[in-house]
Amino acid sequence: METTSVVELAIANLLSPPVLAFALGLLAVAVKSDLRLPEPVYQAISIYLLLGIGIKGGVALRDSSLQEIWLPIAVTLLLGVLIPLGAYVISWWFTRLDAINRGALAAHYGSTSLVTFTAALVFIESSGQFAEGYLVTLLAILEVPGIIVGLLLASRARKGGIAWGESLQEVLSGKSIVLLVGGLAIGVASGSAGFASIEPFFGGLFTGVLTLFLLELGIVAGRRLPDVKRTGWGLVAFGTLFPLLAGFAGVAGGLFAGLSVGGAALLGVLSASSSYIAAPTAVRLALPEASPGIYLTASLGITFPFNLIAGIPLYYWYAETLGGLIGWN
Amino acid sequence: METTSVVELAIANLLSPPVLAFALGLLAVAVKSDLRLPEPVYQAISIYLLLGIGIKGGVALRDSSLQEIWLPIAVTLLLGVLIPLGAYVISWWFTRLDAINRGALAAHYGSTSLVTFTAALVFIESSGQFAEGYLVTLLAILEVPGIIVGLLLASRARKGGIAWGESLQEVLSGKSIVLLVGGLAIGVASGSAGFASIEPFFGGLFTGVLTLFLLELGIVAGRRLPDVKRTGWGLVAFGTLFPLLAGFAGVAGGLFAGLSVGGAALLGVLSASSSYIAAPTAVRLALPEASPGIYLTASLGITFPFNLIAGIPLYYWYAETLGGLIGWN
Amino acid sequence: METTSVVELAIANLLSPPVLAFALGLLAVAVKSDLRLPEPVYQAISIYLLLGIGIKGGVALRDSSLQEIWLPIAVTLLLGVLIPLGAYVISWWFTRLDAINRGALAAHYGSTSLVTFTAALVFIESSGQFAEGYLVTLLAILEVPGIIVGLLLASRARKGGIAWGESLQEVLSGKSIVLLVGGLAIGVASGSAGFASIEPFFGGLFTGVLTLFLLELGIVAGRRLPDVKRTGWGLVAFGTLFPLLAGFAGVAGGLFAGLSVGGAALLGVLSASSSYIAAPTAVRLALPEASPGIYLTASLGITFPFNLIAGIPLYYWYAETLGGLIGWN
Amino acid sequence: MELTSRTVVTIVAESALESRLVADLSAAGVPGYTVTPAHGAGVRGQREGDIQGGNIRIETVLPHDTALGILAMLQDKYFSHYACVAWLSQASVVRGEHF
Amino acid sequence: MELTSRTVVTIVAESALESRLVADLSAAGVPGYTVTPAHGAGVRGQREGDIQGGNIRIETVLPHDTALGILAMLQDKYFSHYACVAWLSQASVVRGEHF
Amino acid sequence: MELTSRTVVTIVAESALESRLVADLSAAGVPGYTVTPAHGAGVRGQREGDIQGGNIRIETVLPHDTALGILAMLQDKYFSHYACVAWLSQASVVRGEHF
Ligand SMILES: Nc1ncnc2c1ncn2[C@@H]1O[C@H](COP(=O)(O)O)[C@@H](O)[C@H]1O
Ligand SMILES: Nc1ncnc2c1ncn2[C@@H]1O[C@H](COP(=O)(O)O)[C@@H](O)[C@H]1O
Ligand SMILES: Nc1ncnc2c1ncn2[C@@H]1O[C@H](COP(=O)(O)O)[C@@H](O)[C@H]1O
Ligand code: NA
Ligand code: NA
Ligand code: NA
C-alpha cells in the first residue's frame, strides 16, 4: 500500500460496504424513510462489537510483553489528558460557548469512538497492513480519562460541582469499559485456541455486522443534520479541524512510542474520534445544563461522519508520511 | 437438474430447512404454542434480507451491460401493470368483492414478496442452477407499480379519492425500496472485492437466517388460517389459481426477454408472489375501507404458503418446459 | 483426552470463552454495571439455540437405528421419574421446606437445562471426543417428565390440586418442546445435505452465540446471588450436592444403556442440570404458592453456575472413570 | 360532542399471566383491552424473575359494573399468589357503545 | 404547591398510524405527547395484522378545550375506518405553562 | 367491595434517568412503581438523543401526601434541567394497605 496515494486510499475507504451503508443511512433520512434498526438489535450489536473487539485484542495482547507496551500506554494516558484540554481551549476560539458546554465537548473529544476505531481496523486489515493487537488496550485506556478531564473543566464553572462518586461509578461500570476490559481478559485467558471456536461469530461476521450497524448510525447522524445548521459554522469548523489536530497528535505520539505505521494510524483515529456511547451518558447526568444539541451534534453529526469518510485514510496518510520522515516502517 | 421430474423438484423444495421451518411455524400455531420470534428481531432480519439481497444483486449487476438488461426491465414494468389489472378483474370472478377490496388485492398481487423470491433463489442455487444477478433489480422494479395500479383502480370507487402525494412518498421511501435500491447501489459501488469482506455475514448465513425468518412467517400465516375459513373458498381459489397464471406470465415474459431458465423461473416467482410488507402498509393507509381480513389473508395465509410449498418448483418447471419448447438452454 | 487429569479438563473448561463470558456477566453485576442483553435478543438467541441443537440432533438421529436408541430412551425416561423423586426427598434433608416448595424444586431438577447441555456439547466437541447425535433426542425427552412428577408431588399438598389440562398444554406447547422436537424433525427430514446450506448459521456460529448468551446468563445469575445468601446454606448444599448425585445416576445409566463415554457424560449433564426455561413457567402458573426466590435461586443462582464451572468436566470424569472400570472405550 | 362516563381498570401483573388474564377478562365481558410491556417493583417484589420478561400493564375501558366484577375476579384468582396489582380510574369517551 | 387541572387524552391505534396521528396532534396544538408500544383487542378487532407491529398508545396532557378538539379530529379522520379508540381523563400538574 | 382512594403519579423522563428516578422514588417511600418504555416530544424537546433509548414512563399509585412529596422532589431535582414531565390523577384500589 506504500505506493498508493492518499486519494486512492480515500476512495478505497469510501467504496467499502460499511461506509456506503453509512451513506445509505444518511440518504434514508433525506428521503424521509421510516427505516430504523430496532433499538434492542442496535444495543445487541454494540455489545457484540465491544466484546468481539475486546476478545480479539486480548488474544493479541497475550503475545505482547510489558516492555513493549508500557510506553504506548503512557503516551495514550498523556493524550487522554491533553486532547480534552485542547478541545476545551480550541472550542472557545471557534464557538465562544460557555465553560460547561466546552467541558462537555472536551469530555466527548477526549474520549473515543468504538465504531470509528472498528471501521479503521477494517480499513487497515482490508488493505493488508499490520497493526499491533494491543491497540484495543489503548482504546479501553483512552475511553475514561478524557471524560474525567472534561467533567473537571466544566465543574469549575458549575455551582454545586459534580457528584463525582456517582459519575465515576457510571463511567467505569458502563458497558463500554466492562465489555472492552472484560473482552481483553477473556482473550488473554482463552488465547488463540479458545478464540478459534468463536472466530466464525466474532471474527468472520465482523465487517458485515459493522455494515448493518453503520446503516443505523447513518440514520442517527442524518437526523442530527438539521441541528448542524442550527448550531452554526463555528461548531462545524471545530468538529472537523480539531480531529485533524488531535489525529496528528495521536499519530505522532504513536510513532514516538514505537508503534508501526498501522498502529500509529489507529492511535491517530482514537485521538481524533469523539465518543458517543460513554461520554453522552456521563455528561447528560453530570452536566444537565450542557446542551445535547451541541455536544451530540458535534460528536455524532459532524466528527463521526467526517472521520469515517475522510479522517481514517488521512490519519493513515499522516502515519505513513511521518513514519517515512523519521525513517520508520 | 434438467432430467429430474417436477415431483423430485417439489420434494427437494419441501425437504429444505427453510420450508420445513415454515411448516414448523404453522404447527406451532396448531398446537397453541406461544412461540414467537420477537418483533425487533423480525424487523432486523427483514432489513438483513433486503439489504443483503440488494448488495448481492448489485455485485452481479456490475457485470451486466445496459444492452442486456433493458428488455428484461421493460418486460418487468409491463408485468407490473398487467398483473394488478388481471388480479382486479379475475378476483371479481372468484369473489364478487367490491372495487375497493379488489383494488387492494390488485396492489398486493401486483407487487411482490421478498421472502418468496429469496426462498426461490435458495432453491435455484442449491440445485446448482444459474440465474442472472440482475433479477434483484427486477425485484426492486416490480415492488412499486403494482401498488400504484391497485390504488388507482380502487380510487375510482372511492369518494375523496386517494392522497397520492402521501401514499407515493410512503411507498417509495419505505424500507423495502430504500434497502433494495440502496443495497444494489452498494453492491455496484463496492464490487466483489468489497463484497468479500461481508460475504460471511450477508452470504454464508443467508439460508440459515431465512430459516429462522420462515419459522416466524409460518406462525404469522398460521394465525391467519382461521380467517381463511371465514373468507370462503372463492378467495382460496383466487389465491392459488391466480399465482399459477401470473407465474406463467412472468416465466413467458422472462424467456421472451432473453433470461436463462433460472432467471425466467425467478421472474415467474416475482410475478406470482404477492406483497406483505410494502403493499399492506400502503393499502392500510390509503384504503382504510378495504378489509385486511381479506387482502392479508389472501396474500399471507393463502398465496405465500402456496408459493413456498408448491409454486416455486412449479414455476421452475414452467421455465424448463417452456424453455425447452422454444429451444432455449 | 483419556490421559489428561480431571484438573486439566476443568481448567480447559474454565478458560473457554463461553465460561469466561459467564464469569464476566457475574462480574458486571458485582461492579453494578447496567449491562444487559436486550430481552428480545435474548429470546431470539434461545430460539436459535433450541432450533439449532434440535436440527443438528435430527441430522445425527437419521443415522441411528431404533434398536440402538430404545434402551437409552428407556433409561432417560426412568431418570426423568427418579431424579425429581430424589430431589423431593433429598431437598427435605437439606432445607426442611414444605411439600409445595420441594415439589417445585423437583420439577426443576427433574427437567433439564438446554444451555448447560450446550456448553457440555461444546466442551466435548472442542476436546475432540465423540458423543452420539441422538443425545439431543434424550434432551427433549428429559424436559417434560420431571416437571410432571414435580407438580404431582406438590399437588398432593395443595388444596384444589392442579389444573392439569392447562399445565400440560403449556409445557408441551412451550417453545422448548416445540423447537427441540420440531428441530429434530427438520433435521431428520432434511438430512446432512439440507443441513449443509444452514451450517454456517446453525453450526459455525454456535459457540460464539453461546458466548454472548452466557454473558447475559451470568448477569441474570449474578442478580440472584444476593438471594442465595438469604435462602441459606441448606439450599446451597442441595444445589451443589444433588447434581453430583444426579449426574452420577445419569452417567451410570448412560453407560448401562450402551452410550459412549462422551454420550454418558452428556446424559450425566442432562440429569444433573436443572431447568430454567420450561420448569419456572410451568411451576409459576401451577404452583403460585411456591417461592421463585427458592426454586429460581437454586436452579439459576447455584446449580447452573456450579455445573458450568465444575460439573461438566466432573461428569465427564465420572464417565471416563466408570467407563474404564467397566472396560468401556 | 357527547361524552359518556366509563371506568378504566389498570392491571399490572407478571407477564407469564398474560394469556390467562386476557382469557379471564374476555370471560368477564370486557369490550376491549390494551397491553403494554412493563417492569417494576412492589410491596411483594415476588416475580418469576428477570429471565422471563418482566411485567405487563393491561388497561381496559368499560362500564363501572363490569369493572367491579373484574376487581372481584382478580381478588379471587390473582391477588393472593401472583405479583398483580390493579386500580380503577374515571374516563370519558365518545362513542359510548364502543366501550 | 400549586396544581393546575389538565385533561389527559389517551389514544390507542394501530401502529401504522403513528406518524399521521403525531402530525395531526401537532397540528391540533398539543404541548407534548408520549407514545408507548402496545397490543390488544377491541370490538372491531380489525388490525393491519400481526406482521406490522401491533398498536401504539399515545398519551397527551393538555387543556380541556384542546382535548375536545382532538376528539373531534379523531372522530372525523380515524374512528370510522381505523382500529383506533380514545378516552379522556383528569389530571393535575405543576408548571401549568408547560402543558 | 371496599374501595380506597389513591393518587397516581405519572412521570415521563429520558431513559438515562431511570435508575436515579427509581432510587429517589424509593427514598420518597413509594409502595411500588411500574415502568414502561416510551418515546415522545414535548415543549423542551431536549433529549440525550435518538441513540440512547428514548423515554420511560413511570407510574406509581400511592397516598396523596406521598404524591405531593414526589412532585416537590421532581421539581427540585429534575424539572429544570432534564426532559421530565409529571402529572397526578385519581384512582381507587381494593387492598388499600398494599399501596
Ligand atoms: N404502588 C404501585 N404503583 C404502581 N405499580 C405498582 C405498585 N405496586 C406494585 N406495582 C406493580 O405491580 C407489580 C407487582 O407488584 P407486587 O405484587 O407488589 O410485587 C410490580 O412489579 C409493579 O410493576
Ligand atoms: N375498551 C377498551 N379498553 C382498552 N383498550 C381498547 C378498548 N377497545 C379497544 N381497545 C384498544 O384499541 C385497539 C383498537 O380497537 P378496535 O378498533 O375496537 O379494534 C385494540 O387493539 C385495543 O388495543
Ligand atoms: N403534554 C404532554 N403530554 C404527554 N407527554 C408529554 C407532554 N409533554 C412532554 N411529554 C413527554 O415528556 C418528555 C419530555 O418532555 P420535555 O421535557 O418537554 O421535552 C417528552 O419526550 C414526552 O414524552
Ligand atoms: Na478522542
Ligand atoms: Na406479484
Ligand atoms: Na435434571
Side-chain angles (χ1 to χ4, degrees):
Chain A
M1 198 154 118
E2 278 107 81
T3 58
T4 54
S5 72
V6 62
V7 176
E8 282 173 59
L9 288 179
I11 289 176
N13 181 56
L14 274 179
L15 295 184
S16 71
V19 175
L20 290 170
F22 182 79
L24 179 58
L26 292 176
L27 197 86
V29 176
V31 303
K32 296 204 174 55
S33 174
D34 62 351
L35 179 67
R36 288 304 300 256
L37 196 66
E39 165 80 11
V41 175
Y42 175 88
Q43 295 295 350
I45 292 183
S46 75
I47 291 173
Y48 164 88
L49 294 174
L50 284 161
L51 187 64
I53 226 170
I55 295 178
K56 270 180 286 185
V59 172
L61 188 60
R62 220 176 136 93
D63 304 327
S64 318
S65 62
L66 190 63
Q67 197 185 342
E68 196 181 335
I69 60 173
W70 77 264
L71 190 57
I73 287 181
V75 166
T76 303
L77 283 171
L78 198 67
L79 290 166
V81 175
L82 292 183
I83 293 174
L85 284 173
Y88 185 78
V89 172
I90 294 175
S91 60
W92 167 254
W93 306 346
F94 287 107
T95 63
R96 304 282 138 164
L97 286 166
D98 62 22
I100 288 183
N101 275 304
R102 283 182 297 128
L105 283 175
H108 284 73
Y109 286 83
S111 184
T112 190
S113 149
L114 168 81
V115 181
T116 314
F117 177 77
T118 307
L121 211 61
V122 166
F123 171 77
I124 297 274
E125 279 172 7
S126 74
S127 50
Q129 292 295 304
F130 167 82
E132 288 79 5
Y134 58 74
L135 258 296
V136 180
T137 318
L138 306 187
L139 161 66
I141 290 172
L142 203 53
E143 281 270 328
V144 178
I147 298 179
I148 296 175
V149 173
L151 296 186
L152 259 172
L153 291 167
S155 75
R156 297 181 318 161
R158 192 174 188 249
K159 48 177 173 295
I162 278 179
W164 281 105
E166 221 167 358
S167 291
L168 281 179
Q169 151 70 18
E170 275 161 354
V171 170
L172 292 173
S173 74
K175 73 177 175 194
S176 305
I177 293 299
V178 166
L179 288 169
L180 280 176
V181 174
L184 280 168
I186 292 177
V188 166
S190 64
S192 51
F195 185 64
S197 65
I198 57 174
E199 199 284 332
F201 183 61
F202 286 108
L205 302 189
F206 203 77
T207 311
V209 174
L210 180 67
T211 302
L212 208 58
F213 197 68
L214 279 173
L215 174 68
E216 169 68 14
L217 279 180
I219 297 169
V220 174
R223 299 193 164 202
R224 289 266 150 207
L225 285 189
D227 296 344
V228 172
K229 285 187 209 126
R230 215 175 309 139
T231 50
W233 290 104
L235 200 66
V236 175
F238 172 75
T240 51
L241 298 179
F242 184 74
L244 292 182
L245 187 70
F248 186 82
V251 166
L255 290 171
F256 167 78
L259 290 181
S260 67
V261 165
L266 286 179
L267 189 56
V269 169
L270 288 177
S271 305
S273 68
S274 71
S275 167
Y276 50 86
I277 298 183
T281 310
V283 166
R284 186 71 190 111
L285 293 171
L287 302 175
E289 308 87 346
S291 160
I294 291 169
Y295 58 74
L296 269 184
T297 301
S299 181
L300 201 62
I302 302 168
T303 300
F304 176 62
F306 173 75
N307 277 331
L308 197 64
I309 289 170
I312 290 173
L314 212 63
Y315 310 135
Y316 182 80
W317 176 77
Y318 278 0
E320 211 179 35
T321 312
L322 207 63
L325 282 183
I326 64 170
W328 202 253
N329 230 10
Chain B
M1 192 153 122
E2 278 107 81
T3 57
T4 54
S5 72
V6 61
V7 176
E8 281 173 60
L9 288 179
I11 289 176
N13 182 57
L14 275 178
L15 295 185
S16 71
V19 175
L20 290 170
F22 182 78
L24 179 58
L26 292 177
L27 197 84
V29 176
V31 302
K32 296 204 173 54
S33 174
D34 62 351
L35 179 66
R36 288 303 301 256
L37 198 66
E39 166 81 11
V41 176
Y42 176 87
Q43 297 294 348
I45 292 183
S46 75
I47 291 173
Y48 164 88
L49 294 174
L50 284 160
L51 187 64
I53 226 169
I55 295 178
K56 270 178 287 185
V59 172
L61 188 60
R62 221 174 133 95
D63 304 326
S64 317
S65 62
L66 190 62
Q67 198 186 339
E68 194 181 336
I69 61 171
W70 76 264
L71 190 57
I73 288 181
V75 166
T76 303
L77 283 171
L78 198 69
L79 289 167
V81 174
L82 292 183
I83 292 174
L85 284 173
Y88 184 78
V89 172
I90 294 175
S91 61
W92 168 253
W93 307 345
F94 285 107
T95 63
R96 306 281 138 166
L97 288 166
D98 62 23
I100 288 184
N101 275 303
R102 283 183 297 126
L105 282 174
H108 284 74
Y109 285 82
S111 184
T112 189
S113 150
L114 167 81
V115 180
T116 314
F117 176 77
T118 307
L121 210 61
V122 166
F123 172 77
I124 297 275
E125 277 172 10
S126 75
S127 49
Q129 293 294 305
F130 169 81
E132 288 80 3
Y134 57 74
L135 256 297
V136 180
T137 319
L138 306 186
L139 161 66
I141 290 173
L142 202 55
E143 281 270 329
V144 178
I147 298 178
I148 297 175
V149 174
L151 295 186
L152 259 172
L153 291 167
S155 75
R156 299 182 315 161
R158 194 174 187 250
K159 49 175 172 300
I162 277 179
W164 282 104
E166 220 168 359
S167 290
L168 281 179
Q169 153 69 21
E170 275 162 351
V171 170
L172 292 174
S173 74
K175 74 175 176 196
S176 305
I177 294 300
V178 166
L179 288 170
L180 280 176
V181 174
L184 280 167
I186 291 177
V188 166
S190 64
S192 50
F195 184 64
S197 66
I198 57 173
E199 200 283 334
F201 184 61
F202 286 109
L205 302 190
F206 204 76
T207 312
V209 175
L210 181 68
T211 301
L212 209 57
F213 198 68
L214 280 173
L215 174 68
E216 170 67 13
L217 279 180
I219 297 169
V220 173
R223 298 192 165 204
R224 287 270 150 205
L225 286 189
D227 295 343
V228 173
K229 286 189 207 122
R230 216 177 307 140
T231 50
W233 290 104
L235 200 67
V236 175
F238 173 76
T240 52
L241 297 179
F242 184 75
L244 291 182
L245 187 70
F248 186 82
V251 166
L255 290 172
F256 167 78
L259 290 181
S260 67
V261 165
L266 286 180
L267 190 56
V269 168
L270 288 176
S271 305
S273 68
S274 70
S275 166
Y276 51 86
I277 297 184
T281 308
V283 166
R284 186 72 190 109
L285 292 172
L287 302 174
E289 309 87 347
S291 161
I294 292 170
Y295 57 76
L296 266 186
T297 301
S299 182
L300 200 63
I302 302 169
T303 300
F304 177 62
F306 173 75
N307 277 332
L308 196 65
I309 289 169
I312 290 174
L314 212 64
Y315 309 135
Y316 182 81
W317 176 76
Y318 277 3
E320 209 179 35
T321 310
L322 206 63
L325 282 182
I326 65 172
W328 203 253
N329 227 12
Chain C
M1 198 152 118
E2 277 108 79
T3 57
T4 53
S5 72
V6 61
V7 175
E8 282 172 59
L9 289 178
I11 288 175
N13 180 58
L14 275 180
L15 295 184
S16 71
V19 175
L20 290 170
F22 181 79
L24 179 58
L26 293 176
L27 197 84
V29 177
V31 301
K32 296 206 172 53
S33 175
D34 62 352
L35 178 66
R36 288 304 300 255
L37 197 66
E39 167 81 12
V41 176
Y42 175 87
Q43 296 295 347
I45 293 183
S46 74
I47 291 173
Y48 163 88
L49 294 174
L50 284 161
L51 188 64
I53 226 171
I55 295 178
K56 270 179 286 183
V59 172
L61 188 60
R62 223 175 133 93
D63 303 327
S64 318
S65 63
L66 190 63
Q67 198 184 341
E68 195 182 335
I69 61 171
W70 77 264
L71 189 56
I73 287 181
V75 166
T76 303
L77 282 172
L78 198 68
L79 290 166
V81 175
L82 293 182
I83 292 174
L85 284 172
Y88 185 79
V89 172
I90 294 174
S91 61
W92 167 253
W93 306 345
F94 286 106
T95 64
R96 306 281 139 165
L97 287 165
D98 63 23
I100 289 183
N101 274 304
R102 283 183 297 127
L105 282 175
H108 284 73
Y109 285 82
S111 184
T112 189
S113 150
L114 168 80
V115 181
T116 314
F117 177 77
T118 308
L121 211 61
V122 166
F123 171 77
I124 297 275
E125 279 171 9
S126 75
S127 48
Q129 293 293 306
F130 168 81
E132 289 79 4
Y134 56 75
L135 257 296
V136 180
T137 319
L138 305 187
L139 162 67
I141 289 174
L142 203 54
E143 280 270 330
V144 179
I147 298 178
I148 296 176
V149 174
L151 295 186
L152 258 172
L153 291 168
S155 75
R156 297 181 317 161
R158 196 178 185 245
K159 46 178 175 296
I162 278 177
W164 282 105
E166 221 167 0
S167 290
L168 281 179
Q169 152 69 21
E170 275 161 351
V171 170
L172 292 173
S173 75
K175 74 176 175 193
S176 304
I177 293 300
V178 165
L179 288 169
L180 279 176
V181 174
L184 280 167
I186 291 177
V188 166
S190 64
S192 50
F195 184 64
S197 65
I198 56 174
E199 200 283 333
F201 184 61
F202 285 110
L205 301 189
F206 204 76
T207 311
V209 175
L210 180 67
T211 301
L212 210 57
F213 198 67
L214 280 172
L215 175 67
E216 169 68 14
L217 279 179
I219 297 169
V220 173
R223 297 191 166 205
R224 288 270 151 205
L225 285 189
D227 296 343
V228 172
K229 286 189 207 125
R230 215 177 309 138
T231 50
W233 290 105
L235 200 66
V236 175
F238 173 75
T240 51
L241 297 180
F242 184 74
L244 292 183
L245 187 69
F248 186 82
V251 166
L255 290 172
F256 167 79
L259 291 181
S260 67
V261 165
L266 286 179
L267 190 55
V269 168
L270 287 176
S271 305
S273 68
S274 70
S275 166
Y276 51 86
I277 298 182
T281 310
V283 166
R284 187 71 190 111
L285 292 171
L287 301 174
E289 306 88 344
S291 160
I294 292 170
Y295 57 74
L296 268 185
T297 301
S299 182
L300 200 63
I302 302 169
T303 299
F304 177 61
F306 174 74
N307 277 331
L308 197 65
I309 289 170
I312 291 174
L314 212 65
Y315 310 135
Y316 182 82
W317 177 75
Y318 278 1
E320 211 180 34
T321 311
L322 207 62
L325 282 182
I326 64 171
W328 203 252
N329 230 7
Chain D
M1 196 174 311
E2 207 190 319
L3 295 178
T4 318
S5 175
R6 285 289 178 274
T7 297
V8 187
V9 184
T10 306
I11 306 169
V12 179
E14 47 193 312
S15 64
L17 296 175
E18 176 168 346
S19 54
R20 293 196 177 188
L21 270 170
V22 164
D24 284 336
L25 290 178
S26 302
V30 302
Y33 63 89
T34 297
V35 184
T36 46
H39 59 277
V43 166
R44 182 160 32 197
Q46 184 192 74
R47 284 175 309 110
E48 192 196 330
D50 303 6
I51 225 174
Q52 305 279 358
N55 292 344
I56 46 162
R57 178 184 187 278
I58 307 186
E59 211 170 13
T60 170
V61 182
L62 33 59
H64 193 64
D65 286 355
T66 324
L68 292 180
I70 284 170
L71 277 194
M73 181 274 287
L74 291 174
Q75 191 149 31
D76 187 32
K77 293 175 71 171
Y78 292 91
F79 282 160
S80 41
H81 292 311
Y82 295 105
C84 180
V85 303
W87 60 89
L88 305 187
S89 51
Q90 282 311 111
S92 323
V93 300
V94 279
R95 306 192 302 159
E97 71 290 354
H98 198 97
F99 294 92
Chain E
M1 199 173 312
E2 206 190 320
L3 295 178
T4 316
S5 175
R6 284 290 177 274
T7 297
V8 187
V9 184
T10 306
I11 306 170
V12 179
E14 46 193 313
S15 63
L17 297 176
E18 177 168 344
S19 54
R20 293 196 177 189
L21 271 171
V22 164
D24 284 337
L25 291 178
S26 301
V30 302
Y33 62 89
T34 298
V35 184
T36 47
H39 59 277
V43 165
R44 183 163 28 198
Q46 186 193 71
R47 282 175 310 112
E48 191 197 330
D50 303 8
I51 226 175
Q52 306 280 358
N55 293 342
I56 45 160
R57 176 184 189 278
I58 307 186
E59 212 168 12
T60 169
V61 182
L62 33 59
H64 194 64
D65 287 355
T66 324
L68 292 180
I70 284 171
L71 277 194
M73 182 274 287
L74 291 174
Q75 192 148 30
D76 187 32
K77 295 176 69 169
Y78 292 92
F79 283 159
S80 42
H81 292 309
Y82 295 105
C84 182
V85 303
W87 61 89
L88 304 186
S89 49
Q90 283 310 113
S92 324
V93 300
V94 279
R95 306 192 300 161
E97 74 290 356
H98 197 98
F99 295 92
Chain F
M1 199 173 311
E2 205 190 320
L3 295 178
T4 318
S5 176
R6 285 289 177 275
T7 297
V8 187
V9 184
T10 306
I11 305 168
V12 180
E14 46 191 316
S15 63
L17 296 175
E18 178 169 343
S19 53
R20 292 196 178 189
L21 270 171
V22 164
D24 283 337
L25 290 178
S26 302
V30 303
Y33 62 88
T34 297
V35 184
T36 48
H39 59 278
V43 165
R44 181 162 32 197
Q46 183 192 74
R47 282 174 311 107
E48 192 196 332
D50 303 7
I51 225 174
Q52 305 279 359
N55 293 343
I56 45 162
R57 177 184 188 277
I58 307 185
E59 212 169 13
T60 169
V61 182
L62 33 58
H64 192 64
D65 287 354
T66 323
L68 292 180
I70 285 171
L71 277 194
M73 182 273 288
L74 291 175
Q75 193 147 29
D76 185 34
K77 294 176 70 170
Y78 292 92
F79 282 160
S80 43
H81 293 309
Y82 295 105
C84 181
V85 302
W87 61 90
L88 304 187
S89 51
Q90 281 312 112
S92 323
V93 300
V94 279
R95 306 193 300 161
E97 73 291 354
H98 198 99
F99 296 91

